[in-house]
Amino acid sequence: MESSKPLYSGESLEELKQDILKKYPTKVARKRAKQIIINTIDEKEKVPEIGANARTIPGILTQRGCTYAGCKGVILGPTRDLVNIVHGPIGCSFYAWLTRRNQTRLKTPDDENYMTYCFSTDMQDSDIVFGGEGKLKTAVQEAYDLFKPKAISIFSTCPVGLIGDDVHQVAREMKAKLGINVFAFSCEGYKGVSQSAGHHIANNGIFKHVVGEDDTVQDGEYKINLLGEYNIGGDGFEIDRILSACGIKVISTYSGNSTYDQFANSHTADLNTVMCHRSINYVAEMMETKFGIPWIKINFIGAKATAKSLRKIAEYFGEQKLIDTVEEVIAKEMPEVESAMADARSHCEGKTAMMFVGGSRAHHYQELFNELGMRTVSAGYEFAHRDDYEGRKVLPTIKVDADSRNIEELQIEKDSARFRARKTKEQLKTLADKGFTFKDYKGMMPGMEQGSLVIDDISHYETEQLIEFFEPDVVCAGIKEKFVVQKSGVPMKQLHSYDSGGPYAGFRGAINFYKEIDRMVNSRVWAYVKAPWQKNPELSGSYAWE
Amino acid sequence: MLLKHTPVEIMERKALVINPAKTCQPVGAMYAALGIHACMPHSHGSQGCCSYHRSALTRHYKEPAMATTSSFTEGSSVFGGQANLVQAIDNIFTIYEPDIIAVHTTCLSETIGDDITQISRKAKDEGKVPEGKYVIHANTPSYIGSHVTGFANMCKGMVDYFSEKTGVKTNRFNIIPGYVEPSDMEEIKRLLSLMGVEFIMFPDTSGVLNGPMTGRFSMYPDGGVTVEQLKQTGDSMGTLALGETASSLAAKTLDTKFKVPCEMLELPIGLSCTDAFIDTLRKAAGITVPDAITYERGQMVDVITDMHQYFYGKKVALFGDPDQLISLTQFFLDLDMKPVHIVTGTPGKRFEKVIRSMTADLPYNINVRESGDTFLLHQWIKNEPVDLLVGNTYGKYIARDEDIPFLRHGFPIVDRVGHSYFPTVGYKGGLRLLEKVLDLLLDRIDRDAKEESFELVL
Ligand code: SF4
Ligand code: SF4
């Protein structure tokens, strides 16, 4: 936001920080101190260094989940025609069954859709003792016999790594036997420090096993991939609607509303647009190296951000026809947005929000709150890395620790047959001269106010202290935090599942969100938390019915 | 169609479970541990399991479900989780200040073979467990049993760690309520009080997972069985274990260790099973059943007689936990309905035996399966359609595809509220079940009736 006066004074925030740290054992306090940062932005948009992508402290009530959740749940979960078999005891597969709200829309009623199904090898005692490879093979065979899918993927859960089942060998064997693509992910939950490791493993897997399988060049102009958009609550549908109105063709989405074939063909697109930088920048990078597709950071959360992203895509392709259509679409959509914004703003302006979630939404959603005139007093990610906070410019300075080293880095080389530079040197120069930037993500912190508080991997205790200090009008986080916050009398908006609402992306999504936040922060119910006799416990002297 | 790949022809599967009718042990252990007052459940494993279990409980109850994790890394998986657990214990007591930490294991720590007793002793020796505070544990490997087994194991953990015998018998009964809702536990307590029976109920999640909005978050709400009460369970007159799968283990442990005799009962859901519960209590405690309870029972029987024509002969398919399914099957039989397909994911031979014996003299065949899944159930339904489906929220995909009225019962229910507040145990709970079943069946009649035969009075 444009205000130059710091939100809170450095001293008061420092005091809050010290108050929080006081509660912790020394070692914990030392570690958390690096992850709780008072935001300051200098003229060069430089912000203080924040500790991120570090191990979760045992015993701390954390928001985080595991690598398997990031791999199976987030990235591969939304691909409808994949049979995703979870190799492990029943729970891991059960909990990832339909709980993430990725919507999918079949093109014809006959299309395959396995997202409503939950597949597991349901490992038993004897499998743990004697190994589960045999059972896994049988499970793949049974899935094939029942469904004849075009591909089957296998996900390892914690015990699998320990007992040494070679899931990749099983996949190779079954691929040869069945003649369909079968591939496996070593995404045991203990790898890495959060879901983030799982995103990386998943992306590597798709890139290795699927991308480039289908070289068909599709009709259509302005072909892009939309990376890091998971179609929660129909976000992707709204984005697709807008892009299609602009005449922009989406070759693939990673991975909301996706199919196997989209991934297989995605290397034919001419631009990669990255929504969630954290979960997917790996794919963008690898596609650029191998196939020559450049990538840009975009954001469809927030009406202004949506317009800006559309203009950036148009500017990349550089054709007047597209630039004009994009302007027409924006001009057509904005009046309704503006009026909804103004209406909600009149009830929400000046209120405050805090958001602690994911690896991009804690940043993106600040756009929508800005549009409502609400200030973000504190924010942080659950599993992001330093570059998501401070911007990609810090990438060279990030130390690779043991946990990250355990995640395979693919060595990608140029595919000399299929590599195609999408822009000539001159075109690139012209774009650069106009201030167009590729691979540019500035991170969350430079966009936040001076004197806001940034916290990585926030814990329950910290959330409680923050609520007391900031007295925010709304808090955004995930399901585990939902009712903790609301019990304190503060409305809480889930930004993973959207509380079963949405879409919130694009223009119509923005309108939904304005209305939703207006509803939440202005609901009558919060005034009813205390009963009349709790508010006014004193008894009046005379009996009122006399 | 949401489950359009489910074929009519049934192919026996040996390895692949599809659309399970169970989940894993730790979530049950976590739920049970939340039924101890001022207790922090702790998941000893990677953080993903804990996150999933907390999310599952939160979605089901729409309440905070607090639990911590050892947050294993690759290193802990190789070298064992001792350092993580010791640090976790220190952090939990320092930051969240519970009276008790109830540790359960996960597949990971079980596969590694971490010895929780030894690790918590080490934590104690290092002064990480403050005076008067406790660390208890249960082993809950998910590659054995199901979430119900985890619940049972944590109940046993409570006995293992707390129960004592002073030698002076009390006139109390221990009541192990089974893996039921907080509302059910509340209702069982109400019935016991009406009967004038002194009791200790453990675990007791009422007041923990169905608490009020107060404007103040409390990490440890007022509910839950206390350590003091748990200690006294060794001196009780006897133990009533409701639901064999969830409750018998702890009850038997009390019997073996402290000679507290136990009686195993089915969950008091439906007429007959509630009758058995009340009658057993009456005899064991040597009391007359108060009129108030007989009155409630009469009301339940009254509704059954009034509306019998709508129940009679209707076919039912059920899936869920074994203890619930046994009582629900009996409930539907009491109504002259026809339970025809019954599936639990939880392994255990007793289940099929009991259901078979309950239905032995029926003039038709029923399908029943332990270690089954709802993919199979759906196939059975396709082969022999039913008038009512009963199960947790996941059943709604089958119900929609096959256009069957659907009664939500079991864990998890993530798309409706009510289960935390309104019981299905006891006669009052029975009345609620009757109302729900009737609503479903009669709505269907209203929906499908031709205009000429659309009835005002039913
Ligand atoms: S690893 Fe085991 S304990 Fe953890 S979620 Fe999976 S089945 Fe449950
Ligand atoms: S066992 Fe591992 S993979 Fe499964 S939920 Fe737990 S942490 Fe994740």
Side-chain angles (χ1 to χ4, degrees):
Chain A
M1 272 186 55
E2 46 287 340
S3 144
S4 56
K5 187 171 155 288
L7 251 181
Y8 286 85
S9 76
E11 297 83 74
S12 65
L13 291 179
E14 190 55 42
E15 208 175 298
L16 167 67
K17 177 173 172 177
Q18 293 312 324
D19 264 355
I20 291 172
L21 297 178
K22 228 172 32 213
K23 181 80 178 169
Y24 291 138
T26 330
K27 243 173 81 185
V28 177
R30 212 178 305 132
K31 190 157 180 210
R32 290 304 297 155
K34 296 186 196 134
Q35 288 167 281
I36 304 176
I37 299 296
I38 299 157
N39 197 31
T40 54
I41 310 149
D42 72 11
E43 319 75 61
K44 290 206 197 93
E45 292 199 329
K46 205 169 143 3
V47 292
E49 176 175 338
I50 186 165
N53 194 29
R55 287 182 185 176
T56 319
I57 301 162
I60 297 285
L61 278 160
T62 172
Q63 300 185 326
R64 285 174 166 180
C66 67
T67 305
Y68 158 82
C71 181
K72 154 70 168 73
V74 176
I75 308 280
L76 270 311
T79 307
R80 63 174 171 261
D81 52 358
L82 272 180
V83 167
N84 285 333
I85 299 179
V86 179
H87 186 37
I90 197 68
C92 314
S93 193
F94 180 85
Y95 301 109
W97 181 17
L98 287 168
T99 43
R100 267 186 53 84
R101 300 196 65 234
N102 313 101
Q103 299 187 359
T104 205
R105 188 181 282 159
L106 311 193
K107 291 227 167 69
T108 78
D110 293 335
D111 285 0
E112 289 168 90
N113 177 16
Y114 300 105
M115 282 169 64
T116 47
Y117 290 87
C118 165
F119 304 99
S120 169
T121 54
D122 188 18
M123 288 176 104
Q124 299 297 303
D125 220 1
S126 54
D127 305 317
I128 300 289
V129 178
F130 302 112
E133 285 178 21
K135 192 171 196 188
L136 177 59
K137 275 184 222 167
T138 313
V140 172
Q141 182 70 49
E142 289 174 348
Y144 178 78
D145 293 342
L146 273 168
F147 307 114
K148 305 275 177 328
K150 58 172 69 107
I152 295 175
S153 39
I154 299 163
F155 300 85
S156 302
T157 67
C158 286
V160 171
L162 280 190
I163 63 174
D165 277 1
D166 188 344
V167 291
H168 303 285
Q169 181 51 34
V170 170
R172 275 192 295 272
E173 218 178 297
M174 294 311 285
K175 180 176 176 175
K177 181 171 178 204
L178 302 175
I180 60 166
N181 202 353
V182 182
F183 44 95
F185 297 88
S186 290
C187 54
E188 286 86 351
Y190 54 75
K191 292 198 167 149
V193 301
S194 69
Q195 291 95 310
S196 174
H199 306 147
H200 198 162
I201 291 169
N203 290 323
N204 284 349
I206 304 183
F207 199 79
K208 223 171 20 187
H209 297 290
V210 189
V211 173
E213 292 275 290
D214 173 12
D215 287 328
T216 314
V217 177
Q218 299 186 50
D219 294 339
E221 292 172 298
Y222 319 124
K223 290 183 224 168
I224 68 167
N225 295 318
L226 185 56
L227 305 186
E229 160 40 56
Y230 301 103
N231 202 23
I232 306 294
D235 272 356
F237 295 150
E238 166 65 1
I239 299 172
D240 283 348
R241 179 187 74 83
I242 298 170
L243 290 172
S244 129
C246 294
I248 296 165
K249 169 133 183 141
V250 180
I251 298 288
S252 75
T253 303
Y254 281 63
S255 54
N257 194 30
S258 64
T259 59
Y260 177 88
D261 292 340
Q262 288 182 13
F263 298 148
N265 188 240
S266 58
H267 62 298
T268 63
D270 293 320
L271 175 68
N272 275 327
T273 60
V274 173
M275 264 291 270
C276 173
H277 174 259
R278 179 65 271 133
S279 58
I280 209 89
N281 70 79
Y282 320 98
V283 168
E285 289 280 292
M286 292 189 284
M287 283 217 230
E288 173 151 29
T289 314
K290 187 162 178 181
F291 301 107
I293 311 174
W295 72 264
I296 57 172
K297 174 77 178 70
I298 44 94
N299 170 28
F300 288 109
I301 302 295
K304 284 178 203 153
T306 300
K308 195 170 147 197
S309 298
L310 292 174
R311 288 184 176 121
K312 183 150 187 182
I313 295 170
E315 194 181 355
Y316 166 80
F317 286 105
E319 286 187 22
Q320 199 55 43
K321 185 175 80 179
L322 178 61
I323 294 171
D324 291 346
T325 327
V326 161
E327 288 309 325
E328 276 161 32
V329 168
I330 295 171
K332 190 161 143 248
E333 301 274 345
M334 276 315 272
E336 208 185 320
V337 174
E338 303 272 5
S339 108
M341 191 194 300
D343 181 50
R345 196 173 172 123
S346 68
H347 313 133
C348 298
E349 180 125 45
K351 293 191 189 287
T352 56
M354 310 195 310
M355 60 214 75
F356 297 96
V357 66
S360 65
R361 289 191 175 163
H363 180 194
H364 290 164
Y365 273 81
Q366 294 186 27
E367 296 271 354
L368 281 167
F369 282 108
N370 283 346
E371 291 174 351
L372 286 170
M374 290 176 67
R375 308 180 83 173
T376 303
V377 290
S378 186
Y381 298 121
E382 175 184 345
F383 48 71
H385 302 192
R386 272 185 63 203
D387 38 326
D388 305 299
Y389 285 103
E390 303 167 49
R392 284 180 67 88
K393 60 174 179 289
V394 301
L395 273 175
T397 64
I398 297 180
K399 288 193 265 325
V400 182
D401 60 13
D403 296 303
S404 307
R405 237 192 312 276
N406 285 336
I407 314 300
E408 185 190 18
E409 274 297 341
L410 294 186
Q411 289 314 316
I412 302 296
E413 279 164 22
K414 189 166 161 172
D415 180 331
S416 45
R418 295 187 288 180
F419 185 95
R420 180 165 59 82
R422 292 339 197 239
K423 292 276 172 195
T424 62
K425 287 224 172 68
E426 298 74 62
Q427 285 171 323
L428 288 176
K429 173 146 193 331
T430 324
L431 279 172
D433 289 345
K434 282 197 274 181
F436 191 96
T437 48
F438 288 99
K439 303 184 180 218
D440 181 25
Y441 181 42
K442 289 206 173 66
M444 171 206 276
M445 289 164 74
M448 283 182 70
E449 290 195 54
Q450 304 271 11
S452 50
L453 194 64
V454 183
I455 305 192
D456 179 62
D457 182 21
I458 196 169
S459 77
H460 163 83
Y461 176 72
E462 292 157 11
T463 315
E464 265 195 309
Q465 299 307 302
L466 257 56
I467 289 176
E468 217 178 291
F469 180 88
F470 290 114
E471 297 180 337
D473 296 289
V474 64
V475 174
C476 306
I479 179 70
K480 298 191 290 294
E481 294 75 46
K482 169 89 187 173
F483 303 103
V484 175
V485 173
Q486 293 211 159
K487 280 274 191 247
S488 327
V490 180
M492 196 284 187
K493 181 70 197 166
Q494 290 186 66
L495 285 190
H496 285 290
S497 77
Y498 296 169
D499 293 308
S500 307
Y504 297 136
F507 298 115
R508 290 188 190 158
I511 297 174
N512 289 340
F513 195 77
Y514 305 149
K515 290 187 176 154
E516 172 70 351
I517 295 303
D518 189 1
R519 172 190 75 76
M520 291 184 89
V521 301
N522 294 306
S523 161
R524 288 168 198 266
V525 72
W526 303 109
Y528 295 131
V529 169
K530 290 269 172 278
W533 51 92
Q534 290 173 309
K535 288 184 204 158
N536 297 304
E538 66 283 354
L539 296 167
S540 57
S542 65
Y543 198 53
W545 288 357
E546 291 287 324
Chain B
M1 297 286 268
L2 290 160
L3 298 167
K4 62 180 179 179
H5 300 290
T6 307
V8 181
E9 318 77 60
I10 297 171
M11 175 192 104
E12 277 301 323
R13 283 166 281 132
K14 287 209 279 299
L16 187 66
V17 166
I18 312 176
N19 299 353
K22 67 166 178 188
T23 182
C24 64
Q25 284 209 40
V27 78
M30 192 181 277
Y31 178 58
L34 286 166
I36 309 175
H37 181 65
C39 174
M40 179 68 88
H42 180 82
S43 165
H44 185 52
S46 316
Q47 66 210 13
C49 308
C50 183
S51 175
Y52 276 138
H53 303 146
R54 289 183 62 203
S55 301
L57 290 171
T58 306
R59 290 189 186 107
H60 179 81
Y61 290 109
K62 316 262 182 258
E63 290 289 318
M66 309 310 276
T68 47
T69 160
S70 292
S71 290
F72 275 38
T73 56
E74 188 131 21
S76 2
S77 312
V78 177
F79 303 113
Q82 171 166 303
N84 291 53
L85 185 52
V86 172
Q87 196 196 354
I89 290 172
D90 185 24
N91 285 337
I92 296 164
F93 279 127
T94 313
I95 304 164
Y96 307 115
E97 305 174 18
D99 292 343
I100 304 158
I101 297 174
V103 181
H104 60 260
T105 52
T106 65
C107 299
L108 180 56
S109 52
E110 281 295 329
T111 309
I112 298 168
D114 275 352
D115 179 349
I116 308 296
T117 319
Q118 175 263 318
I119 300 176
S120 43
R121 201 179 313 122
K122 184 168 159 46
K124 196 161 182 131
D125 291 347
E126 289 177 11
K128 304 274 161 62
V129 183
E131 219 19 64
K133 308 242 173 177
Y134 306 87
V135 178
I136 70 170
H137 96 278
N139 290 92
T140 50
S142 304
Y143 39 80
I144 300 171
S146 75
H147 56 294
V148 192
T149 323
F151 183 92
N153 283 333
M154 187 49 84
C155 292
K156 176 173 183 290
M158 296 175 200
V159 172
D160 286 343
Y161 277 89
F162 291 123
S163 302
E164 290 172 359
K165 197 179 185 83
T166 63
V168 188
K169 271 247 176 281
T170 64
N171 59 348
R172 287 190 205 103
F173 283 92
N174 301 321
I175 309 284
I176 311 176
Y179 197 149
V180 293
E181 303 295 355
S183 54
D184 294 322
M185 299 190 188
E186 222 161 68
E187 178 64 7
I188 294 169
K189 288 196 287 186
R190 188 187 68 94
L191 287 169
L192 292 166
S193 305
L194 273 177
M195 303 267 293
V197 176
E198 300 271 324
F199 64 90
I200 298 167
M201 181 189 278
F202 74 93
D204 180 4
T205 57
S206 65
V208 180
L209 287 164
N210 60 355
M213 164 63 77
T214 57
R216 204 179 58 84
F217 167 74
S218 159
M219 180 88 81
Y220 310 107
D222 292 338
V225 64
T226 62
V227 171
E228 213 36 56
Q229 288 176 308
L230 281 172
K231 286 187 175 168
Q232 293 163 355
T233 50
D235 289 331
S236 295
M237 275 169 68
T239 305
L240 272 190
L242 309 181
E244 148 88 25
T245 328
S247 306
S248 67
L249 190 61
K252 282 185 191 145
T253 311
L254 275 164
D255 192 351
T256 347
K257 274 175 89 171
F258 305 109
K259 298 278 163 304
V260 181
C262 64
E263 178 108 31
M264 235 59 84
L265 287 174
E266 304 302 347
L267 285 175
I269 297 175
L271 189 63
S272 301
C273 294
T274 307
D275 281 353
F277 170 64
I278 300 289
D279 209 38
T280 306
L281 262 179
R282 175 183 71 94
K283 290 183 199 148
I287 42 174
T288 334
V289 176
D291 291 346
I293 290 182
T294 313
Y295 183 86
E296 286 174 12
R297 181 181 189 278
Q299 289 181 318
M300 187 177 172
V301 179
D302 192 52
V303 172
I304 302 176
T305 57
D306 293 349
M307 307 304 271
H308 182 259
Q309 56 175 326
Y310 302 109
F311 297 123
Y312 181 78
K314 292 283 187 311
K315 290 184 183 172
V316 195
L318 307 100
F319 69 94
D321 301 343
D323 298 345
Q324 271 80 353
L325 290 177
I326 287 171
S327 300
L328 282 170
T329 301
Q330 186 58 53
F331 168 68
F332 288 118
L333 289 172
D334 292 348
L335 302 178
D336 287 316
M337 290 175 75
K338 289 180 166 173
V340 287
H341 312 305
I342 310 165
V343 165
T344 183
T346 300
K349 294 275 169 277
R350 176 178 184 267
F351 174 70
E352 287 192 13
K353 249 195 5 238
V354 175
I355 300 271
R356 289 268 174 230
S357 75
M358 281 162 62
T359 53
D361 50 3
L362 294 178
Y364 57 90
N365 271 334
I366 63 156
N367 289 315
V368 51
R369 182 72 63 90
E370 50 97 12
S371 303
D373 56 31
T374 67
F375 187 79
L376 174 67
L377 181 79
H378 191 178
Q379 292 184 304
W380 281 345
I381 293 173
K382 281 179 184 290
N383 284 284
E384 183 183 354
V386 294
D387 304 294
L388 182 69
L389 173 66
V390 184
N392 67 33
T393 287
Y394 285 99
K396 77 177 181 181
Y397 290 78
I398 300 175
R400 184 172 145 133
D401 272 10
E402 306 298 333
D403 193 24
I404 315 168
F406 174 44
L407 173 67
R408 286 167 179 76
H409 196 279
F411 177 82
I413 295 172
V414 294
D415 62 339
R416 295 291 188 276
V417 293
H419 46 276
S420 344
Y421 306 106
F422 307 110
T424 56
V425 299
Y427 302 116
K428 286 266 185 222
L431 265 179
R432 174 167 178 259
L433 272 179
L434 288 174
E435 187 201 13
K436 288 202 146 216
V437 171
L438 274 172
D439 278 350
L440 289 163
L441 297 177
L442 299 185
D443 278 348
R444 188 52 60 119
I445 291 177
D446 283 341
R447 191 195 78 176
D448 294 345
K450 292 204 192 97
E451 285 192 6
E452 66 207 31
S453 50
F454 187 72
E455 299 285 350
L456 175 75
V457 182
L458 288 172

